[in-house]
Amino acid sequence: MVGITEQTYPIACKGGLDLTTNTQELLQKPGWATRLVNFEPSTDGGYRRINGYIPLGSGRTPGTELTRIKGITWVDNKALVVCHEDAVYFSYDLVNFIQINVAMDLAGANSGGMDFTEVTAATKLPRTSSYHYDFQLFRQGTGITLMGTSEGTSPFWFQITGTTLADSTYYYKELSLTSGTLTGATHSEKFKDQFVIAGMDDAPAEIYYSDILNPDDFEGANAGAIGFNDVVMGLKMFRESLYVFCRNSIHKVDGLSSGSPQRIPVTTKIGCIDGNSIQELAGDLVFLAPDGLRTLAATSRIGDVNIASLSATVASKLRIINRNIESYDVRSETIKNKAQYRLFFKGKVGETVGAYSIIMYMSTNTQGSIAPEFSELTGFEIASIDNGFYKGKERTITGDRSGNIWFHDEGNDFNGSLIYFLYETPFFAINDPGFRKNIHKVTTYLKIEGDASFNLALKYDYDSRAAYQPAPYPVGPLIAPALYGTSVYTNNNISYGTEKSPVVDTLTEGSGKTVALRIYPSGQQCDPFSLQGFDISYVQSGRI
């Protein structure tokens, strides 16, 4: 007899954010999300509430200017470079910095470099027109060699040998041509033993490449330039070839070090609209095209590549941004240990467009093939970002528009402020959308990394006013479990006998033909947790 037996409808949290699929199709995708804010597709399955950010030291190092961090990068697993206002700073310990953009006569008195005292006292070379920096690391001898480019000013080269600021020898110079200028080089790439730059003010459709083993020399025997019939937007080395991303086309350059480079068109049908979006993820290149995110991947044919679209499920949002891309600062980075791509949009100074950020993670779908999952981020202001290794540990570091430096994806809050999060399923029908269901219980499957609590809300029949919409149900607090080998017996913030993967039953009320679940903060401090899935216990009624 219909309506008597209680049944269970299982939901696995998988698929990510979907802003594009129509309402009818979403009825069959209950584990996906129509809102997924400050969750990330977890490498352990489900959706994980993200980490936040914590300050580097005092949070404003180096300098005291309340202006943007224009560039930041890890250097060779042991140092950090920060470009702030008109200065380039260097640090080994992330606490003490030295400004290294100083005047040096490397062909004369300073041909052997300068020591710490000399650099500190030297005349500074202000980089007042710089905006956003791109960096490339070279390994030459025992020292650190770094090349930097920024629109509005000349590329620079510096080399440092030593282990502390006090015992190091410093070399610094800004790059130019005997006849001509390299001013405004916006994009750069290291190609084997050469330095490649693009985006110069007076040559927007050209790339310049340096001499072999002399990345600061653009007029040597093996240096030169290559022209394109399209504005160059970005550069990336991939599978032993240099790829040049233009506004309306993509090209591959082979034989750069031979003195006779070949320019090979990859496609003239699509290009890249912002070079700051180009990153390597899971062995492929990801970039922002006019129609959304695409990947440039090697195919089975030797020397061939495939260009595929990735962002169909969030295309509606990206299209709005892409139409106004000139108004945005775009930043991107990959977090290697999570195989994640993070893309940040922020309106340029003076622009009224808002901010938007997304996470992309390549996941295995139910058919066994690899597909992207997306979520949204909020609460981050990213002026500069870099992911790398510092003393053997992967860390992502960011700078904002107020001169603050942060460790990204660390800590449980936003420097003391609670992290807002939201997960909302599509409205789903629980089998037949014509029958009403009385939902008695929601069982939530979780993985917790500390203390967790949130609200669970049920919304019936597309949040109709004609349907009873119950008040949200509190879940938690769930107490962090004591783990053998890591927990301290006297710690009052852990609990013995609790579970790392709790299963929580919530008794519910209300009924409808369709229902959606919503997870959002309870207003209490919350450590990261993962939503694995739900069981919906219900009794089916009639067609009323």
Side-chain angles (χ1 to χ4, degrees):
M1 180 176 178
V2 174
I4 299 299
T5 305
E6 185 168 277
Q7 303 177 64
T8 300
Y9 185 77
I11 298 171
C13 292
K14 186 176 180 64
L17 181 65
D18 190 335
L19 303 176
T20 305
T21 301
N22 67 57
T23 301
Q24 191 69 16
E25 289 180 288
L26 285 174
L27 288 171
Q28 309 303 319
K29 300 169 69 174
W32 289 58
T34 55
R35 296 297 308 277
L36 194 60
V37 179
N38 287 342
F39 281 95
E40 59 188 2
S42 173
T43 55
D44 296 326
Y47 304 132
R48 178 184 181 272
R49 208 294 310 273
I50 62 167
N51 292 101
Y53 53 78
I54 59 176
L56 168 71
S58 65
R60 187 168 288 131
T61 304
T64 59
E65 303 91 345
L66 299 179
T67 54
R68 73 169 57 235
I69 301 296
K70 298 178 178 180
I72 195 164
T73 188
W74 295 112
V75 186
D76 206 23
N77 193 36
K78 58 186 177 182
L80 179 70
V81 169
V82 178
C83 298
H84 188 195
E85 192 57 22
D86 63 354
V88 181
Y89 295 96
F90 177 86
S91 175
Y92 283 112
D93 60 7
L94 314 186
V95 176
N96 300 291
F97 288 80
I98 183 173
Q99 185 175 346
I100 59 173
N101 55 312
V102 300
M104 292 188 187
D105 179 11
L106 297 181
N110 305 124
S111 60
M114 286 183 171
D115 62 24
F116 177 81
T117 302
E118 291 171 326
V119 171
T120 303
T123 301
K124 305 302 185 284
L125 297 176
R127 301 177 61 79
T128 52
S129 298
S130 60
Y131 189 70
H132 177 250
Y133 282 85
D134 200 8
F135 303 97
Q136 302 299 326
L137 173 68
F138 285 76
R139 290 183 174 86
Q140 295 182 321
T142 58
I144 293 172
T145 301
L146 193 74
M147 317 296 293
T149 56
S150 174
E151 58 255 61
T153 189
S154 301
F156 71 83
W157 165 96
F158 77 75
Q159 189 174 74
I160 297 176
T161 58
T163 56
T164 68
L165 295 184
D167 72 7
S168 291
T169 301
Y170 302 85
Y171 304 80
Y172 175 88
K173 71 175 179 179
E174 297 187 349
L175 308 184
S176 62
L177 300 173
T178 302
S179 57
T181 177
L182 300 175
T183 299
T186 306
H187 307 292
S188 66
E189 179 64 310
K190 176 191 174 185
F191 181 76
K192 299 180 180 178
D193 296 316
Q194 293 170 279
F195 184 42
V196 187
I197 61 176
M200 286 69 67
D201 292 343
D202 59 354
E206 290 185 285
I207 67 169
Y208 285 32
Y209 55 95
S210 73
D211 201 2
I212 299 173
L213 296 175
N214 293 301
D216 59 318
D217 183 2
F218 284 84
E219 297 177 303
N222 288 287
I226 304 174
F228 299 82
N229 295 321
D230 200 353
V231 175
V232 178
M233 304 298 291
L235 306 166
K236 200 70 175 179
M237 181 176 173
F238 181 62
R239 306 288 175 89
E240 299 300 311
S241 294
L242 177 69
Y243 284 85
V244 180
F245 291 81
C246 297
R247 183 169 290 162
N248 301 297
S249 58
I250 301 173
H251 306 263
K252 182 171 70 168
V253 176
D254 285 335
L256 198 64
S257 58
S258 68
S260 301
Q262 292 181 304
R263 185 186 67 186
I264 305 168
V266 174
T267 178
T268 57
K269 303 297 183 182
I270 197 163
C272 175
I273 61 175
D274 196 295
N276 294 312
S277 67
I278 304 170
Q279 297 290 341
E280 185 169 346
L281 176 69
D284 296 333
L285 291 185
V286 176
F287 65 97
L288 187 62
D291 58 349
L293 287 170
R294 285 183 172 266
T295 179
L296 187 150
T299 68
S300 58
R301 296 190 295 273
I302 296 175
D304 197 6
V305 294
N306 175 49
I307 300 176
S309 179
L310 295 173
S311 53
T313 58
V314 292
S316 58
K317 187 70 176 184
L318 289 181
R319 275 196 295 267
I320 295 173
I321 292 174
N322 289 357
R323 284 197 293 266
N324 301 286
I325 194 65
E326 298 296 332
S327 299
Y328 286 96
D329 280 331
V330 179
R331 305 288 177 258
S332 66
E333 196 52 74
T334 55
I335 298 179
K336 299 175 183 63
N337 61 16
K338 296 181 178 181
Q340 262 183 34
Y341 172 85
R342 296 192 175 192
L343 181 64
F344 304 90
F345 301 89
K346 177 74 172 179
K348 293 180 179 178
V349 175
E351 296 286 351
T352 58
V353 293
Y356 185 67
S357 307
I358 62 172
I359 291 175
M360 182 176 71
Y361 168 70
M362 304 304 288
S363 176
T364 303
N365 62 23
T366 54
Q367 287 76 40
S369 58
I370 301 298
E373 291 186 21
F374 289 90
S375 65
E376 297 176 307
L377 292 175
T378 188
F380 294 92
E381 183 186 298
I382 307 294
S384 294
I385 185 169
D386 188 47
N387 173 275
F389 288 86
Y390 178 71
K391 296 185 177 180
K393 180 182 178 181
E394 183 183 2
R395 305 193 82 171
T396 302
I397 197 162
T398 70
D400 65 20
R401 294 186 177 187
S402 299
N404 301 304
I405 302 175
W406 309 98
F407 286 118
H408 182 74
D409 198 41
E410 297 191 29
N412 297 330
D413 54 34
F414 289 155
N415 191 35
S417 299
L418 299 182
I419 297 176
Y420 173 77
F421 56 86
L422 175 62
Y423 165 55
E424 188 166 318
T425 71
F427 279 89
F428 52 93
I430 309 181
N431 302 318
D432 191 331
F435 281 91
R436 180 172 295 278
K437 299 91 182 174
N438 299 299
I439 297 179
H440 294 169
K441 183 176 67 175
V442 175
T443 301
T444 307
Y445 295 84
L446 298 159
K447 288 184 179 180
I448 60 174
E449 301 173 30
D451 297 348
S453 63
F454 52 84
N455 286 329
L456 166 66
L458 276 66
K459 299 296 179 181
Y460 291 101
D461 293 343
Y462 299 97
D463 215 2
S464 169
R465 292 184 179 183
Y468 168 64
Q469 307 296 342
Y473 304 96
V475 177
L478 306 172
I479 308 301
L483 300 179
Y484 180 79
T486 61
S487 298
V488 179
Y489 182 73
T490 57
N491 187 350
N492 294 325
N493 295 322
I494 59 175
S495 179
Y496 295 89
T498 59
E499 299 178 353
K500 187 176 181 180
S501 302
V503 177
V504 181
D505 289 332
T506 303
L507 300 180
T508 61
E509 55 187 350
S511 65
K513 296 179 179 179
T514 61
V515 65
L517 305 181
R518 180 182 297 169
I519 302 291
Y520 61 98
S522 63
Q524 302 176 18
Q525 174 63 36
C526 186
D527 294 318
F529 64 92
S530 294
L531 296 168
Q532 299 291 299
F534 306 92
D535 283 342
I536 309 296
S537 298
Y538 70 99
V539 172
Q540 186 167 291
S541 300
R543 293 182 181 273
I544 56 174

